[in-house]
Structure formats: structure tokens, C-alpha cells
Amino acid sequence: MSRIVERHITSYYHSHGTIPPFNVINMTLDGKSTTYETKPDNVVARPIKKKLHYDPNASRFIAIPGSTQLTDKLYLGRGVDRCVWKNRDCVFNRIEFDVDIEAIDREIKAREKLIAAMDGTHSIDYDDLMQRHFNVIPILAVILHRESDNEIMGILMPFGGPSLASIFESEHNSAEPPTQPKVTAITMAQIQDLARGVRELSRVGIVHGDINERNTLLRSASREPCRMMLCDLGSVAPDYQSDAVALGELLLWCSEHVSLTGAGPEKLEAAAKILQLTGKFDDALHLFDYSGM
């Protein structure tokens, strides 16, 4: 976060020859259209006044006191660091403001509900089953400030790979105009697999709340094909209708931005229409050509 602020202050200084008199930076998701404002301190100050506590009797997640076990931290975005834990490539999602507490709490409760739904299965590897059955990035551990009071600092998850949006942006930026590149690393089989995972979430009563190309990751694993995985189950997007409608929007995004052969785009558009009009996952999944995958 400090690097982002520094970049904008430096840019303003180079343009105006003075430090900007601001305490608010407004920008778009891609960091453009920056404007500055000055507001009263009591309006912009956002100290953490609330607390979220870990209940060891009600959760199956590992609890780690402090973040000293996390190494090689790399800032990814507000409240999110990439790091290494026990030789695993991970993401540490931190509580920075009060507004983050509800999101982290929802992330934890969603995974706990998925674990409860998987009880009775023969597999005891809930992390693996969560990814295979629901296409959801699991929580590896809950990070505590101190073991004595069980106050949660954040959650630790495996690094899920690049998002579909970042893959497209990377390929788009590397192409020479007037070429309009499309993502080549995604297949119809992967899209169908993700749609099936969203259907399974709905069957156990879980609403993701913000399915889109930025919260859909392309995760690779050794000796296994890449799979599309969902992250960020913490917040429900404004004016969010349903996971079915949002998945339909994602299928339309894929039909436009993914390099698919044959009738792939048409199948995605037809499946999207079913999801957005009826919300019926099974009917949409029937449109995928299993034999062509």
C-alpha cells in the first residue's frame, strides 16, 4: 500500500512541483483516473476497533500465533501478501480495517460450512476435496495476533495462480496492435469444471457473492491439468443477483476473451442465457459438449 501511495505522490509532485494537499486518493481498479481530496481526519481515519476471535472448539483450521512463520512476503494488494509457509506458496489475507473483519469472518464460515458438507466422505483431506468438488481455494490456517487471546490477524491460503483477468491483460499488453488477442490457456473442459463447482456450492447453500474474471484463478498442480478455482468468498458485490447470474456473466466474458474452437463460444452464450434467465445449473451444464473435451 505504501508503494502505491508513494507512486501517486511522486507523480503529483513531478506534475505540480509540490506535495499534494490531500489525505484521500481516488482511483479506478487499474490505478488510473486519479484524483485527490482533503477530508476531516475523523472521516478518513479507519482504526481497527472491532475484533474477530478464533474458536478452537468450533473450527478445524490450524491456528498459528503470529506471522513470523510466514516468509518471503510480497505485497499483492490491499491486505493481501504472497508468502511462503512450510515451503508452500501461499497468500496471507490480512485484516487492515474494521471493514475487513466481516469479509474474513465470511471467508472462514463459508469454508467451515463446506467442511461440514463434506463430513461423511471417505476423504480426510478437506483442502483437496474442497478444491476438487467445489473449485474453491481452501484456508490452510488462521493467523492469530497472540495465542493467548485468539484474536484473528488474517487467513492463510495456497496461492491460486493468476486470475483470468490478469492472464488476458498480460497477453493483451504483450500483443502488437491492432491484434486483439484472446486467452489461449483456458479450455472448455476447465470452464465446464468451474460451472460444475459453482453448482455444487449452490447445492450446499453457499453463495460465493462475487464471481467474476478477477476472482477466478487458473491454478496449476504437479502432474494434473490446470483448473479454474474461485477465491474471495468474503464480500458480496453491490447489486449482486445470484451466483447463477454471475456465472452466466463470466461465461459471456470467456466467450469473448478466450480462444475457443468450433461451437465453443456459442455453447457458452447459450449456457449463460439459461443461467441468467432460469438459474438452472444442470440445464446449462447439459449444453457443454462432453465428447469434445
Side-chain angles (χ1 to χ4, degrees), residues 76 82 89-91 131 137 157-167 213-221 226-231:
L76 295 180
R82 191 170 177 177
D89 192 2
C90 297
V91 169
Q131 295 175 83
I137 298 293
M157 295 171 284
F159 178 69
S163 69
L164 302 191
S166 66
I167 294 172
E213 64 275 12
R214 295 192 177 276
N215 288 334
T216 306
L217 313 178
L218 190 61
R219 186 172 192 200
S220 60
C226 292
R227 298 185 66 209
M228 293 167 66
M229 308 294 295
L230 294 170
C231 66

Side-chain angles (χ1 to χ4, degrees), residues 175-226:
E176 296 182 1
T179 305
Q180 293 295 324
K182 292 191 175 184
V183 177
T184 57
I186 300 171
T187 66
M188 283 289 287
Q190 292 165 337
I191 298 172
Q192 180 223 358
D193 177 58
L194 176 71
R196 179 201 51 76
V198 178
R199 179 192 64 186
E200 296 308 309
L201 286 176
S202 71
R203 287 180 171 177
V204 297
I206 293 291
V207 176
H208 180 283
D210 197 12
I211 295 175
N212 56 49
E213 64 275 12
R214 295 192 177 276
N215 288 334
T216 306
L217 313 178
L218 190 61
R219 186 172 192 200
S220 60
S222 59
R223 299 186 299 277
E224 291 186 11
C226 292

Side-chain angles (χ1 to χ4, degrees), residues 70-81:
L70 311 182
T71 61
D72 301 330
K73 291 182 182 178
L74 175 66
Y75 176 83
L76 295 180
R78 192 189 74 75
V80 182
D81 296 328

Side-chain angles (χ1 to χ4, degrees), residues 140-154:
L140 299 177
V142 174
I143 311 299
L144 307 178
H145 283 279
R146 295 166 296 277
E147 189 174 12
S148 58
D149 60 8
N150 286 337
E151 183 184 346
I152 295 176
M153 179 189 297

